[in-house]
Amino acid sequence: MSTIEPAIDPGDEPLADAGSAPRAPAAAGRPPVLRTLIRREFWEHRALWMAPLSVAALLLLGAIIGKVSFDSSLAALPEQRRALFSVGMSYAAVLHFIVLGIIMWMYAADCLYTERKDRSILFWKSMPVSDTLTVLSKLLVVMVIVPLGVYLISAVTTLLTSGIYLVRAWQGHTGGVFWDTGTWLRMQWISLIAVVAGVLWYAPITAFLMLVSAWARRSVQLWVFLPPVILIMMERIALGTHHILDILLYRLGGVFTHAGPAYPAFGAGASQRPTLNLLIVTVDPLPVFHNIDLWVGVGVAVLLIVATIRIRQYRDDT
């Protein structure tokens, strides 16, 4: 007695082997995780790019319709003309760096708190993204991408501003404005080194802000200022000293004391202190990298970032 073999549809064979056949990963066509995390920061914190661009727009608008001009005819010697040009470039860049400091402070104190406040942390924790990579992406934004971005915006702004002043000078609206490529390149090099030195010098403060942002359930700025104030008061009351205050003040402003020649604030040499214009021209941020305090601060920042990662692993406010 013959048996009838069931007909096999060739189209069914791939289905039978579907469980054993390897498949290409579905995420092969998606962008890298780190790039997505970085884009997320700029989507959620638009001040990171809007604030520097707004400052650049205001500077350009001021150069076009403003009354301020840098008249090099007031400087007789070539050295004085280069110094005047450096001062003009520096004042334009200083505004960007002030905004950079404000942006870094506000973002570092808010980046890990906001995701818990709006519950978006629940979504990201459900994704195959580690807490380490999430925290490091925010650290990369605040300590690398934004500072370099602000530096580039500042460089382009000073270049365009100088061009606007040159055009106005040719039209007879200002005095003898001139352009010095060597001086401009020197100022951009000094600005770049200053940005790198500043980011490293303030790294422990940035890491502390991120630590508080990951830990505090509310009132982040209050928790940022409250512990140092309590420690300073306790030391003053119990010991009568002010070492903690000195350390904080040194960390907040010490980078400026190492970025140029030392001039006494009081005493016989105080009258020989340079003007702000000369100080801007003679600034040199390279000695900051030779200071052991900078690298000690970087080590403290690493420990604080490790603690921040550990806190985020268990703090989601659910």
Side-chain angles (χ1 to χ4, degrees):
M1 184 176 181
S2 62
T3 58
I4 301 176
E5 298 290 339
I8 300 177
D9 189 354
D12 294 336
E13 293 180 357
L15 294 178
D17 298 336
S20 58
R23 291 186 178 183
R30 293 186 297 183
V33 176
L34 182 60
R35 186 191 307 172
T36 303
L37 291 175
I38 293 174
R39 287 180 178 178
R40 167 207 177 190
E41 299 305 316
F42 287 96
W43 290 334
E44 296 183 352
H45 303 271
R46 297 186 178 182
L48 293 176
W49 55 272
M50 291 183 64
L53 291 178
S54 300
V55 173
L58 291 176
L59 288 174
L60 294 176
L61 182 62
I64 295 174
I65 65 176
K67 301 297 183 182
V68 178
S69 63
F70 298 95
D71 191 349
S72 62
S73 63
L74 301 177
L77 300 177
E79 292 79 7
Q80 294 176 335
R81 291 164 63 89
R82 286 193 292 269
L84 183 62
F85 182 78
S86 300
V87 170
M89 297 296 96
S90 300
Y91 278 121
V94 162
L95 291 177
H96 277 103
F97 296 145
I98 292 176
V99 172
L100 173 61
I102 297 174
I103 290 175
M104 292 179 65
W105 182 287
M106 300 303 296
Y107 171 79
D110 187 68
C111 59
L112 291 167
Y113 169 73
T114 301
E115 66 176 11
R116 290 184 291 112
K117 183 179 179 181
D118 60 13
R119 302 290 183 174
S120 62
I121 188 174
L122 302 178
F123 168 77
W124 290 102
K125 279 185 174 291
S126 66
M127 303 294 289
V129 180
S130 66
D131 296 280
T132 300
L133 186 60
T134 300
V135 174
L136 291 182
S137 68
K138 297 177 185 293
L139 187 67
L140 183 64
V141 167
V142 72
M143 294 191 63
V144 179
I145 298 178
V146 171
L148 290 181
V150 172
Y151 164 75
L152 293 176
I153 293 175
S154 173
V156 174
T157 303
T158 55
L159 186 64
L160 294 177
T161 302
S162 300
I164 292 173
Y165 279 124
L166 283 174
V167 172
R168 293 184 61 186
W170 292 336
Q171 294 177 350
H173 296 294
T174 59
V177 180
F178 79 109
W179 170 261
D180 190 323
T181 303
T183 302
W184 184 82
L185 291 176
R186 176 180 177 273
M187 293 306 301
Q188 299 313 312
W189 168 250
I190 291 177
S191 298
L192 178 60
I193 298 300
V195 168
V196 176
V199 168
L200 293 177
W201 183 267
Y202 292 110
I205 297 179
T206 303
F208 172 72
L209 293 173
M210 295 183 65
L211 176 67
V212 176
S213 180
W215 175 81
R217 295 184 181 274
R218 60 182 62 87
S219 303
V220 177
Q221 295 297 338
L222 176 62
W223 286 108
V224 167
F225 290 101
L226 190 59
V229 171
I230 293 177
L231 290 176
I232 291 171
M233 294 178 61
M234 291 178 60
E235 181 194 10
R236 188 64 177 176
I237 294 173
L239 304 176
T241 58
H242 47 79
H243 298 300
I244 296 178
L245 178 61
D246 293 340
I247 293 174
L248 290 177
L249 293 179
Y250 176 66
R251 181 55 60 174
L252 289 174
V255 64
F256 302 106
T257 63
H258 300 290
Y263 297 94
F266 305 98
S271 59
Q272 301 178 357
R273 297 179 67 197
T275 61
L276 178 60
N277 295 352
L278 182 59
L279 189 60
I280 292 177
V281 175
T282 58
V283 67
D284 182 15
L286 286 177
V288 179
F289 297 99
H290 302 156
N291 192 322
I292 188 62
D293 296 333
L294 180 142
W295 302 109
V296 170
V298 171
V300 172
V302 172
L303 297 178
L304 293 175
I305 291 299
V306 172
T308 301
I309 295 172
R310 297 294 296 176
I311 290 175
R312 190 183 186 275
Q313 291 176 350
Y314 303 104
R315 176 63 63 88
D316 56 9
D317 292 349
T318 56

